[in-house]
Amino acid sequence: MKKILSFTLNGQPYEVAVKPKTTLIELIRDEIGLTGPKIGCNAGACGACTVLIDGKAVDSCSVLALQVEGHSVETVEGLADGDKLHPLQEAFLDDGGYQCGFCTPGMLMAAKSLLNENPDPSIHEIRHGLSGNLCRCTGYVRIIDSIHDAAQRMKKEGGEKS
Amino acid sequence: MRDFDYIAPKSVEETIKVLSEYKDEAKIIAGGQSLLNILKQDLMAPEILVDIKHLSELDYITYDEKEGMRIGATTTHHAVEVSPLVIEHYPILSEMEHTLAFPQTRNWGTIGGNLCIQDPTGDVAPPLIALRATVKIVGPNGERILPMEDFSTDYYETVLEEDEILAEVRIPPMAPRTGVAYSKFRIVEGDAPIVGAAVAFTLNEDGTCADARIATNGTAPIPLRIPDAEAVFKGKKITDELIQEAVEVAGEAMECIPDIVASDEYKKRVAKVYIKRMARKALSQIQ
Ligand SMILES: Cc1cc2nc3c(=O)[nH]c(=O)nc-3n(C[C@H](O)[C@H](O)[C@H](O)COP(=O)(O)OP(=O)(O)OC[C@H]3O[C@@H](n4cnc5c(N)ncnc54)[C@H](O)[C@@H]3O)c2cc1C
Ligand code: FES
Ligand code: FES
């Protein structure tokens, strides 16, 4: 029997009826239709499905949709501000932080979570922060560079504002 | 995954009521990091999941100089990792959490879920055993307190009855002149440990050993405390020779089981190395 779930997705309130066994990634992709987060392993091991729950990276394949009741969820679709890309997205574009792009939505959200907590991470801290995200293409170096670059850009932006 | 019903009780009391009503048809879900993988493979088919993840009543970390630390069962790994109280009083727990699974797992998975799934390689139990932790279990007849090392009974089995939950982990204050170390062996960051070892020493004022604790993971179906090896140190001055003697005794106690990653012999050898290293490390913190 379906149950009613209320939560926020990319700043927008949602009220949807879901089966208890629906996982968060199934809700986001199949029912709401945001296909940014990907299903890789469906077992909490690859990070392709990474979304933020209350600002923290979580594998959406390993959370029941009903468990985000009252929480705020953010996917890669919520990263840009209208047409203005997020500094992480800009840095990934400029620094070649992706090849096929399958892991990218998860990488971006894992990186966002990391920077939320630690705005100026060392290379080691970036590597540790990405330990739950697999990439079959890039060899990681450019992803790590992109995140380091994005952190610098965000520091600058923040500095300009204040 | 098969269909199931879902309920999110509002309190621990209501959780126990629901569990008492449904008995073995119900299964607790906390972070679901282990449980959902089990359900996806149809290894288990509960009628109803009882969600405790959102219970703020079970989500806390407190410290008191007399009583020590209390950690609620639904506290996430990440909350333990970054807690200033944990870092101040039991830094080993923060270090352990820092290398447990992935950021994603730590952000949503809970310390209670980790102990209750009772994976023999789990990271959380050995350092807690070394720190003389106890667990508070709540059921229809009230609560009971057990030493951490008595909580696990077999692979993926604990002492919990079907209408009981793990509510809290309690850690006594550390005695003066105590050192504690834990580390694990694994091939890739984020992989489950192959084996690991936690060692704690408390010294007397004259430098002899007042108390020793040794606990390992991945070396038996349950987290293994090794009293025979601990006894080697009691009342003596801890030297490298004494550590080696204890390591040999510990080797006898471990009944490692081979799996796809490593043979029993290999696990035992590596576990002995880790006990030795952790003993030296724990000692170096006091001397
Ligand atoms: C990719 C991956 C890597 C991992 N790597 C590691 C690792 O390196 N080291 C390590 O130690 N662990 C590792 N784990 C295991 C991880 O730590 C656990 O999955 C997690 O801590 C379980 O917590 P949870 O809240 O998600 O529990 P759940 O999955 O919700 O529950 C686990 C079990 O415990 C029961 N349960 C949960 N809470 C309670 C309670 N309070 N009272 C009674 N029963 C309860 C549930 O019914 C279920 O049977 C890994 C897991 C994954 C998916
Ligand atoms: S699809 Fe969720 S972690 Fe791989
Ligand atoms: S860019 Fe292809 S998997 Fe990472």
Side-chain angles (χ1 to χ4, degrees):
Chain A
M1 206 185 54
K2 289 193 173 182
K3 306 229 174 222
I4 301 296
L5 160 71
S6 312
F7 74 116
T8 311
L9 182 59
N10 298 328
Q12 194 118 329
Y14 273 82
E15 197 167 281
V16 283
V18 293
K19 277 188 174 178
K21 72 169 180 179
T22 305
T23 56
L24 182 56
I25 185 96
E26 289 166 346
L27 171 68
I28 292 172
R29 286 180 57 90
D30 304 341
E31 298 185 30
I32 294 177
L34 296 185
T35 54
K38 303 285 184 274
I39 302 182
C41 64
N42 202 22
C46 76
C49 65
T50 303
V51 302
L52 303 190
I53 302 181
D54 303 333
K56 292 197 171 71
V58 169
D59 291 324
S60 61
C61 71
S62 296
V63 174
L64 287 181
L66 286 172
Q67 292 198 291
V68 300
E69 173 71 35
H71 290 278
S72 163
V73 177
E74 206 183 321
T75 66
V76 72
E77 284 89 346
L79 212 47
D81 180 5
D83 283 342
K84 190 176 162 7
L85 291 182
H86 188 278
L88 274 164
Q89 292 170 307
E90 283 182 341
F92 269 66
L93 274 170
D94 292 348
D95 305 330
Y98 60 92
Q99 286 180 22
C100 79
F102 189 86
C103 71
T104 314
M107 288 288 178
L108 286 166
M109 299 321 275
K112 173 113 194 271
S113 175
L114 171 71
L115 296 182
N116 280 348
E117 222 175 312
N118 180 0
D120 194 12
S122 66
I123 295 294
H124 176 79
E125 287 166 337
I126 295 173
R127 293 171 71 111
H128 188 70
L130 292 187
S131 58
N133 292 75
L134 296 180
C135 175
R136 296 302 301 268
C137 305
T138 64
Y140 301 99
V141 174
R142 287 182 172 236
I143 296 178
I144 293 161
D145 289 348
S146 302
I147 295 168
H148 194 253
D149 182 13
Q152 304 311 310
R153 292 177 193 220
M154 286 163 76
K155 242 192 347 201
K156 253 202 208 144
E157 268 182 27
E160 275 161 22
K161 263 182 219 149
S162 57
Chain B
M1 202 166 11
R2 295 185 211 181
D3 276 305
F4 45 77
D5 203 353
Y6 171 93
I7 185 166
K10 304 245 172 336
S11 64
V12 169
E13 199 186 331
E14 196 189 330
T15 304
I16 302 298
K17 263 200 205 124
V18 173
L19 291 177
S20 307
E21 189 186 328
Y22 287 94
K23 298 276 181 202
D24 63 354
E25 291 182 352
K27 195 78 198 155
I28 294 268
I29 180 165
Q33 301 298 295
S34 292
L35 184 65
L36 290 178
N37 281 344
I38 293 169
L39 296 182
K40 282 176 191 171
Q41 295 175 59
D42 286 338
L43 294 174
M44 203 188 266
E47 290 293 320
I48 182 164
L49 287 195
V50 183
D51 190 354
I52 59 166
K53 166 79 181 160
H54 60 284
L55 287 182
S56 52
E57 201 184 334
L58 292 176
D59 181 8
Y60 55 85
I61 300 176
T62 62
Y63 186 79
D64 173 279
E65 269 171 30
K66 282 211 190 76
E67 303 283 335
M69 182 161 277
R70 299 193 169 187
I71 306 178
T74 62
T75 308
T76 63
H77 294 294
H78 177 262
V80 176
E81 179 189 354
V82 301
S83 158
L85 283 176
V86 172
I87 293 168
E88 182 182 347
H89 297 286
Y90 312 96
I92 187 63
L93 288 184
S94 172
E95 275 172 41
M96 175 276 291
E97 293 286 15
H98 188 65
T99 62
L100 181 148
F102 306 124
Q104 287 90 331
T105 333
R106 296 197 290 276
N107 282 338
W108 199 250
T110 67
I111 189 164
N114 182 288
L115 294 172
C116 291
I117 191 71
Q118 216 307 93
D119 187 310
T121 66
D123 278 305
V124 180
L128 284 180
I129 293 173
L131 290 167
R132 332 173 140 267
T134 55
V135 287
K136 182 173 102 180
I137 296 167
V138 176
N141 305 318
E143 54 181 70
R144 54 187 179 125
I145 310 282
L146 282 183
M148 184 70 245
E149 64 265 33
D150 294 344
F151 181 68
S152 306
T153 53
D154 205 343
Y155 285 105
Y156 306 101
E157 298 278 348
T158 69
V159 297
L160 289 179
E161 301 288 341
E162 52 205 15
D163 50 8
E164 287 182 318
I165 65 163
L166 173 65
E168 184 178 85
V169 174
R170 296 179 173 181
I171 313 162
M174 280 228 260
R177 295 176 300 278
T178 296
V180 192
Y182 168 74
S183 187
K184 59 180 164 184
F185 177 69
R186 57 192 175 156
I187 311 277
V188 180
E189 177 161 346
D191 267 3
I194 296 171
V195 290
V199 177
F201 290 127
T202 300
L203 302 187
N204 293 309
E205 267 178 46
D206 67 2
T208 56
C209 177
D211 203 60
R213 282 245 174 167
I214 302 174
T216 55
N217 42 330
T219 63
I222 60 170
L224 191 67
R225 189 179 159 200
I226 313 177
D228 289 351
E230 294 168 359
V232 170
F233 296 106
K234 293 268 163 73
K236 299 203 188 118
K237 187 140 183 62
I238 302 171
T239 59
D240 238 31
E241 290 71 49
L242 205 61
I243 291 175
Q244 192 56 47
E245 190 185 325
V247 163
E248 294 308 324
V249 173
E252 296 299 310
M254 296 185 285
E255 25 158 337
C256 300
I257 290 134
D259 57 29
I260 53 169
V261 188
S263 68
D264 46 346
E265 257 179 81
Y266 180 84
K267 285 187 187 180
K268 189 179 278 207
R269 278 180 82 147
V270 178
K272 284 166 72 177
V273 170
Y274 271 70
I275 294 172
K276 179 156 60 181
R277 286 186 193 164
M278 291 310 108
R280 287 178 180 156
K281 193 169 169 194
L283 190 63
S284 74
Q285 292 170 7
I286 335 170
Q287 282 180 340

